Structures are given as C-alpha cells and as structure tokens.
Amino acid sequence: VMQIRWLFLLLCFYIVFADFRPQFHAVPPSNWINDPNGPIFFEDMYHLFFQYNPYAAVWGNISWGHMESTDMIHWSWKGIALSPGSNSTDEYDSGGCWT
C-alpha cells in the first residue's frame, strides 16, 4: 500500500510540473494562435508570423505574433508584430488585424 501511495504522489508531481506544451513546434508563450504564415527566410533566420490573441486563449483581439528560428525546430518569441489601432472606431482595423 505504501508503494502505491508513493507512485500516486510521483504521478501527481509529474502531472503538475510537466511541460505538456509542444517541444518542436512554434508556440507563443500563452493564449490563442491561428493561421501561421510563411515561414520567411531573411538574414539567416526563419521568421514566422501568425494570428494571435495576446489577451486570451480564445479567438478574438486578432493581432499578429512573430517568432524566429535558425533551424525551424527551436523558435524564439519576438512579440507582437501588428496589432489593431488603439482607436476602436478606426474602420480599417477595429475588428482586428487580418490577412
């Protein structure tokens, strides 16, 4: 019975602290991603741009995220490349930044 308890505690520890995020895919630090475009090779780096919601893990607030890689396996987050204007009445991007 004691061994089962230790195994259960180890399993709980693994579930709580394991990194279940993809290890070989471009993923932002958090939240919703869609529609990756490119990649573009420029100045010895691959650049990937994608629709991104910086505020929630659901569709909405469409901005464009940017990531870079030298090998297309390990990606580094470069932040938001494009975001809607601060004036929500702006007719050009009030619904988000789109392709």
Side-chain angles (χ1 to χ4, degrees), residues 17-60:
F17 294 103
D19 186 4
F20 290 108
R21 294 170 55 82
Q23 300 300 308
F24 297 105
H25 295 280
V27 292
S30 62
N31 298 331
W32 183 85
I33 181 175
N34 187 44
D35 194 20
N37 284 270
I40 301 162
F41 189 74
F42 178 71
E43 294 184 355
D44 298 325
M45 296 291 285
Y46 292 96
H47 298 266
L48 184 66
F49 296 91
F50 47 88
Q51 291 178 359
Y52 177 61
N53 180 350
Y55 306 110
V58 296
W59 183 91

Side-chain angles (χ1 to χ4, degrees), residues 30-91:
S30 62
N31 298 331
W32 183 85
I33 181 175
N34 187 44
D35 194 20
N37 284 270
I40 301 162
F41 189 74
F42 178 71
E43 294 184 355
D44 298 325
M45 296 291 285
Y46 292 96
H47 298 266
L48 184 66
F49 296 91
F50 47 88
Q51 291 178 359
Y52 177 61
N53 180 350
Y55 306 110
V58 296
W59 183 91
N61 303 304
I62 302 301
S63 297
W64 283 88
H66 177 212
M67 300 187 94
E68 285 182 342
S69 175
T70 57
D71 58 10
M72 293 186 69
I73 295 174
H74 304 95
W75 293 90
S76 64
W77 170 248
K78 295 301 175 185
I80 297 173
L82 296 170
S83 61
S86 59
N87 182 357
S88 63
T89 61
D90 188 343
E91 64 182 277

